[in-house]
């Protein structure tokens, strides 16, 4: 398993939106400039995130993108599975993979199953909020 640029960019964008969530809707160009990602490539990533309910997108003046939930309610696993479609370490464990004819005799299958479980459990245990920089002392006052 190797995380593609699409997965890494999706995570970077979600962190960016979480860091700037108090600014309301963030324009695509602003995100692209801050993250140094092509607007065209970013648009495809964001479209998928909107379609799956992770983001809300609004067109026109004052439009842009924002999170649909609190950063603590997103897991890194959720974001990466959406953008990567699969985090399985081997093809036979991919979602909707055809049944492997050798699985009954495969001596390595238990290793891959355990690794797959460990990867998913770990990534699901890290929230988007965990990746945000800590608040500076004195900047935690909320009205």
């Amino acid at each position: 398993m190797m995380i593609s640029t699409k997965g890494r960019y999706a995570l970077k964008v979600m962190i960016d939106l979480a860091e700037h969530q108090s600014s309301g809707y963030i324009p695509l160009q602003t995100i692209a400039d801050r993250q140094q990602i092509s607007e065209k490539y970013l648009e495809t990533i964001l479209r998928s995130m909107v379609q799956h309910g992770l983001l809300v997108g609004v067109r026109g003046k004052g439009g842009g993108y924002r999170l649909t939930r609190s950063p603590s309610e997103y897991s890194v696993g959720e974001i990466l599975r959406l953008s990567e479609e699969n985090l399985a370490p081997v093809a036979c464990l991919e979602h909707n993979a055809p049944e492997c004819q050798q699985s009954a005799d495969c001596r390595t299958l238990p290793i891959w199953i355990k690794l797959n479980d460990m990867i998913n459990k770990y990534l699901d245990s890290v929230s988007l909020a965990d990746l945000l920089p800590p608040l500076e002392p004195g900047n935690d006052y909320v009205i």
Side-chain angles (χ1 to χ4, degrees):
M1 172 198 71
M2 188 167 175
I3 305 298
S4 70
T5 55
K6 184 177 179 183
R8 293 193 316 270
Y9 288 174
L11 193 53
K12 286 175 68 170
V13 165
M14 294 296 284
I15 292 168
D16 184 286
L17 290 170
E19 283 180 308
H20 298 94
Q21 64 184 341
S22 64
S23 301
Y25 288 95
I26 311 290
L28 175 73
Q29 183 177 358
T30 302
I31 301 166
D33 290 346
R34 279 198 297 242
Q35 296 304 317
Q36 299 177 350
I37 301 171
S38 150
E39 282 186 52
K40 193 161 189 80
Y41 191 43
L42 184 57
E43 192 170 22
T44 63
I45 293 170
L46 293 175
R47 186 177 314 119
S48 176
M49 300 289 210
V50 168
Q51 287 173 346
H52 288 90
L54 274 68
L55 299 176
V56 173
V58 174
R59 292 184 179 268
K61 186 176 179 169
Y65 297 88
R66 70 172 176 78
L67 302 178
T68 58
R69 309 183 293 233
S70 163
S72 63
E73 295 175 30
Y74 292 91
S75 77
V76 170
E78 171 187 25
I79 296 164
L80 290 177
R81 276 190 295 276
L82 174 63
S83 56
E84 293 295 318
E85 297 177 15
N86 200 320
L87 298 176
V90 291
C92 63
L93 295 179
E94 290 178 359
H95 184 66
N96 292 330
E99 187 175 337
C100 177
Q101 302 302 315
Q102 300 171 353
S103 64
D105 298 320
C106 181
R107 293 181 178 214
T108 61
L109 184 58
I111 292 169
W112 305 131
I113 290 172
K114 188 169 183 174
L115 178 60
N116 189 52
D117 288 345
M118 290 171 66
I119 290 168
N120 282 286
K121 283 179 185 167
Y122 173 68
L123 293 175
D124 286 339
S125 75
V126 180
S127 77
L128 198 54
D130 294 331
L131 303 176
L132 298 176
L135 289 174
E136 295 178 23
N139 283 348
D140 56 353
Y141 183 74
V142 178
I143 296 177

